[in-house]
């Protein structure tokens, strides 16, 4: 029995996959995005942009308000802020709980702040000078400082307190009343037991209350540096044999222009006629030109590995710095081209004083130190190809790291290693193609250097 032709088609079952379209049938139109979803997305973007703009405006306003109120809020010490916060909290709890005791505490704290306010008022017209004599000393030598306060006002000044940071310490001076146009002088000693760059200043006058709630500082000077140089050993000129002749060190590279004659060869197109050896050419019947061995002026590279893990103690690190400074100063005096650096610091080698000033800044690297080979390679990228490389390190540095330095340079470069090992027997040994000098005491360095032959 046949189905009726006018009956409607059966509805598809929910969840059942759609039947594949018949070949050649038109594709169903793509579903259009909801207009409500598009509008909601636009609103979200607008709200986010407005929020970002509002936050940026709040930050700018906060910065402007902070800069405007800094002269007032800057005089409140951390103790003063704590007292102010405690007063506000006490008064708030007294109002909420009705406790008269808390109100009394809050009022007392606020009264302490109000009583301290007059102590920060007042104006002084000082002219302050800091003098260090001398400005450069060797570790252990004595250095003195002089603080001079001039009263530039038309009336006598009131007594005040002056603070002067000196290195990690703080010197405090009580400045009495100074007549108009007068001056007051204070002397102080600078500790110079260890190598360092000691910064004195800036000098600041301080006004405040006895409880330390408010404090007002006025700076009068810029910082002044005192260089405490490392102890060095005096070496003989050219003691290390770093300069072999005045013209330069002869290499194995063959060139057409230099001063060290090597051999003759047949003429080739492009050779300069000034290199033709006419006497030999006339005898052989063939043009012959001169060849030379390339020479170069000695270039020395001095590298200090400053990783703290490579040194047994602080005294050993100081010994290494003294070895570095002693070698560098003598090389500069010998007029040999020198480049010196540490893991993080490029040292000035223009004059011995400039080098010693920079060695005063060398500090052990506690973390993040690269292997010695990588340190030398990075330094060598910024200088001409060296003829001699000197690496200064500590007794705990693995010898394999020093030997790896040889792989950075060619066969024309000599590598010397100076290992600081305080108290050890000084000696000279070979490590592959490198020379290792163990320095147990600084006074033995001149004797060791005389025996070194790169």
């Amino acid at each position: 029995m046949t189905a009726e032709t006018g009956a409607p088609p059966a509805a598809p079952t929910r969840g059942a996959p759609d039947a594949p379209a018949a070949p050649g049938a038109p594709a169903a139109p793509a579903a259009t995005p909801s207009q409500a979803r598009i509008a909601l997305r636009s609103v979200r973007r607008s709200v986010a942009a407005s929020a970002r703009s509002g936050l940026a405006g709040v930050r700018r306003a906060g910065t402007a308000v902070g800069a405007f109120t800094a002269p007032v809020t800057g005089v409140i010490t951390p103790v003063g802020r704590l007292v102010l916060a405690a007063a506000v909290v006490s008064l708030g709890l007294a109002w909420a709980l009705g406790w008269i005791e808390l109100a009394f505490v809050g009022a007392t704290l606020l009264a302490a702040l109000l009583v301290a306010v007059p102590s920060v008022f007042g104006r002084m017209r000082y002219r302050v000078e800091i003098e260090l004599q001398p400005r450069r000393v060797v570790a252990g030598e004595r250095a003195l400082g002089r603080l001079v306060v001039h009263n530039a006002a038309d009336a006598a000044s009131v007594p005040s307190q002056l603070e002067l940071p000196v290195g990690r310490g703080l010197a405090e001076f009580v400045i009495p009343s100074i007549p108009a146009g007068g001056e007051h002088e204070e002397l102080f000693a600078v500790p110079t037991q260890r190598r360092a760059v000691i910064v004195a200043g800036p000098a600041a006058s301080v006004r405040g209350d006895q409880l330390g709630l408010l404090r007002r500082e006025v700076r009068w000077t810029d910082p002044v540096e005192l260089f405490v140089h490392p102890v060095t050993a005096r070496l003989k000129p050219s003691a290390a044999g770093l300069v072999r002749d005045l013209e330069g060190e002869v290499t194995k590279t063959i060139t057409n222009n230099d001063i060290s004659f090597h051999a003759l060869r047949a003429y080739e197109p492009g050779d300069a006629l000034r290199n033709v050896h006419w006497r030999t050419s006339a005898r052989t019947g063939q043009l012959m030109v001169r060849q030379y061995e390339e020479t170069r002026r000695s270039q020395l590279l001095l590298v200090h590995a400053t990783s703290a893990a490579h040194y047994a103690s602080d005294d050993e690190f100081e010994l290494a710095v003294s070895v570095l400074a002693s070698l560098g100063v003598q090389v500069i005096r010998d007029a040999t081209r020198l480049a010196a650096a540490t893991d993080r610091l490029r040292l000035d080698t223009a004059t011995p004083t400039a080098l010693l000033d920079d060695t005063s800044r060398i500090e052990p690297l506690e973390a993040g130190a690269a292997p010695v080979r990588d340190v030398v390679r990075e330094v060598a990228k910024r200088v001409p190809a060296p003829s001699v490389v000197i690496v200064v390190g500590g007794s705990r540095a693995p010898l394999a790291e020093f030997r790896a330095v040889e792989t950075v340079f060619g066969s024309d470069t000599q590598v010397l290693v100076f290992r600081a090992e305080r108290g050890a027997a000084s000696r000279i040994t070979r490590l592959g193609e490198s020379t290792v000098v163990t320095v147990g005491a600084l006074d033995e360095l001149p004797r060791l250097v005389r025996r070194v032959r790169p």
Side-chain angles (χ1 to χ4, degrees), residues 106-351:
T108 302
L109 295 177
L110 284 180
L113 283 172
L114 292 176
V115 171
V117 169
S119 63
V120 299
F121 284 97
R123 183 179 181 183
M124 293 172 291
R125 295 182 59 186
Y126 283 161
R127 189 174 71 254
V128 182
E129 299 175 2
I130 300 176
E131 299 177 2
L132 297 178
Q133 185 64 34
R135 293 287 302 275
R136 293 173 173 85
V137 296
V138 178
E141 293 182 351
R142 187 180 183 185
L144 295 177
R146 180 170 175 260
L147 178 69
V148 183
V149 181
H150 303 267
N151 182 15
D154 296 331
S157 65
V158 297
S160 62
Q161 181 179 348
L162 217 64
E163 292 184 352
L164 178 66
V166 180
R168 297 180 180 179
L170 181 66
E172 297 180 352
F173 305 98
V174 177
I175 308 300
S177 177
I178 305 175
E183 66 178 36
H184 176 75
E185 178 183 84
E186 293 281 354
L187 299 178
F188 58 94
V190 182
T192 59
Q193 286 79 15
R194 299 187 67 87
R195 173 191 57 86
V197 177
I198 299 177
V199 180
S205 58
V206 179
R207 299 179 67 90
D209 62 290
Q210 296 298 322
L211 297 178
L213 304 179
L214 303 179
R215 175 187 173 91
R216 178 188 171 199
E217 292 185 6
V218 179
R219 295 186 176 182
W220 300 101
T221 65
D222 293 326
V224 179
E225 290 183 333
L226 169 67
F227 294 94
V228 183
H229 292 165
V231 180
T232 57
R234 181 74 178 185
L235 306 180
K236 290 186 177 181
S238 301
L242 302 178
V243 182
R244 303 193 182 173
D245 54 61
L246 295 178
E247 286 76 22
E249 181 183 355
V250 178
T251 68
K252 297 179 181 179
T253 305
I254 304 302
T255 181
N256 292 329
N257 296 282
D258 219 304
I259 61 174
S260 179
F261 176 75
H262 174 63
L264 295 174
R265 63 170 175 82
Y267 175 86
E268 295 179 357
D271 287 339
L273 292 179
R274 65 176 178 272
N275 292 331
V276 174
H277 195 272
W278 296 106
R279 183 177 299 177
T280 304
S281 300
R283 186 172 62 252
T284 60
Q286 181 183 6
L287 285 178
M288 303 294 291
V289 296
R290 302 179 184 88
Q291 280 187 313
Y292 302 89
E293 287 181 324
E294 185 179 44
T295 60
R296 63 183 179 191
R297 186 183 175 189
S298 294
Q299 168 72 45
L300 191 142
L301 177 61
L302 188 56
V303 180
H304 184 195
T306 59
S307 174
H310 290 175
Y311 297 89
S313 63
D314 292 339
D315 290 339
E316 186 173 286
F317 185 85
E318 293 302 317
L319 174 59
V321 175
S322 295
V323 170
L324 172 85
S326 301
L327 294 172
V329 167
Q330 188 56 54
V331 170
I332 295 174
R333 288 171 178 164
D334 289 342
T336 300
R337 291 189 302 179
L338 172 67
T342 69
D343 303 59
R344 300 289 177 87
L345 181 65
R346 179 75 180 271
L347 306 180
D348 189 351
T349 58
T351 63

Side-chain angles (χ1 to χ4, degrees), residues 341-343 345-346 375 377-384:
T342 69
D343 303 59
L345 181 65
R346 179 75 180 271
V375 174
R377 181 177 58 186
E378 290 301 319
V379 175
K381 290 179 180 179
R382 302 187 292 270
V383 299

Side-chain angles (χ1 to χ4, degrees), residues 67-103:
F68 179 77
T69 60
V72 177
T73 59
V75 301
I76 304 177
T77 65
V79 176
R81 294 190 182 96
L82 181 61
V83 170
L84 180 60
V88 172
V89 171
S90 298
L91 293 176
L93 290 177
W95 179 80
L97 302 177
W99 290 3
I100 190 63
E101 294 84 358
L102 290 177

Side-chain angles (χ1 to χ4, degrees), residues 233-236 238-242 319 322-323 326-327 390 416-429 435-454:
R234 181 74 178 185
L235 306 180
K236 290 186 177 181
S238 301
L242 302 178
L319 174 59
S322 295
V323 170
S326 301
L327 294 172
I390 297 180
L416 301 177
V417 177
F418 283 80
R419 297 176 69 244
E421 188 174 358
R422 181 170 290 276
S426 299
R427 58 192 181 273
I428 300 176
T429 57
T435 301
V436 179
V437 182
T438 301
V439 184
L442 184 61
D443 56 4
E444 297 178 358
L445 182 63
R447 177 179 61 83
L448 294 171
V449 169
R450 286 196 300 267
R451 295 170 51 193
V452 172
R453 291 296 179 267

